[in-house]
Amino acid sequence: TANLEYQGQSGALNESFADIFGVMIDRDDWQLGEGITNPNFIPTGFLRDMSNPNNGGTSLQSPGWQPANMNEIYTGSQDNGGVHINSGIVNFAYYKYAIATSKDIAEQVYDRALSTYLTRSSQFIDARIAVIQSAKDLYGNNSPEVAAAQNAFAAVGIGSPASSGNNDPTPTTETPEVPENPGQDFIVSN
């Protein structure tokens, strides 16, 4: 619904929301791909673990590893700028939010964030803002659901916790940065 661009953080949001909807359907646990993943390739036996994005590994070289916090974010160019790799950060924020509230509440809030507030070029900070605003819309400005959203994102390195008083960072703009064109300058006149 947000038409997230499949590159960098917006692409990682796309992947994360796919995982979030996956655990909304398979409500028994926080793992994804446990029926299709070869344990000889990923020792845990599941593709992703929203409760532990590191998935038994210690770094990007470990099969199935994803960062769990912004201090581990992948910034390279492989995987369209880390769309599959970095989705673990937002997955972990969702897990923390659902544990603090409930799966039912988390589903409603994240669905609203995706369908109402996120846009094509949204970044992780925009997801935080969208989830917090969605929690406000559904449960009220000073509700425990809002504080839980602030704390869940802060726990993965995106923004501050509820107790800090600094919980509404500035969203990113719709205009992406465009690198300088190394070509020749031309003047067009009539």
Side-chain angles (χ1 to χ4, degrees):
T1 58
N3 197 27
L4 291 159
E5 182 181 16
Y6 204 67
Q7 177 70 37
Q9 287 187 20
S10 61
L13 285 172
N14 183 305
E15 285 296 325
S16 180
F17 273 92
D19 291 347
I20 288 166
F21 282 98
V23 297
M24 286 180 189
I25 293 166
D26 178 6
R27 300 175 71 81
D28 296 337
D29 55 39
W30 296 102
Q31 289 79 37
L32 296 152
E34 62 267 37
I36 60 167
T37 303
N38 183 342
N40 292 326
F41 179 67
I42 300 177
T44 59
F46 31 85
L47 187 60
R48 295 192 182 126
D49 184 353
M50 295 184 70
S51 66
N52 178 9
N54 293 161
N55 202 8
T58 57
S59 70
L60 184 58
Q61 287 68 44
S62 302
W65 181 90
Q66 291 181 297
N69 192 289
M70 288 298 288
N71 64 13
E72 299 174 323
I73 194 168
Y74 171 75
T75 58
S77 60
Q78 85 178 51
D79 185 34
N80 279 356
V83 298
H84 295 93
I85 298 166
N86 290 328
S87 65
I89 296 168
V90 178
N91 284 357
F92 201 33
Y94 174 80
Y95 164 78
K96 289 183 171 294
Y97 185 64
I99 291 300
T101 59
S102 72
K103 280 190 176 182
D104 291 335
I105 289 170
E107 289 171 359
Q108 293 171 357
V109 169
Y110 273 69
D111 181 60
R112 181 171 180 78
L114 178 64
S115 63
T116 305
Y117 295 110
L118 295 179
T119 64
R120 178 172 172 73
S121 60
S122 290
Q123 303 294 294
F124 289 175
I125 193 67
D126 301 310
R128 174 194 163 94
I129 294 166
V131 168
I132 291 169
Q133 185 59 53
S134 295
K136 288 178 180 179
D137 295 348
L138 295 169
Y139 299 101
N141 286 348
N142 298 314
S143 65
E145 292 80 5
V146 171
Q150 293 164 337
N151 292 335
F153 276 90
V156 300
I158 303 170
S160 302
S163 61
S164 74
N166 182 18
N167 297 308
D168 294 316
T170 305
T172 60
T173 62
E174 281 296 311
T175 308
E177 276 191 43
V178 178
E180 182 180 326
N181 185 340
Q184 293 181 314
D185 291 334
F186 291 97
I187 297 176
V188 178
S189 68
N190 249 340

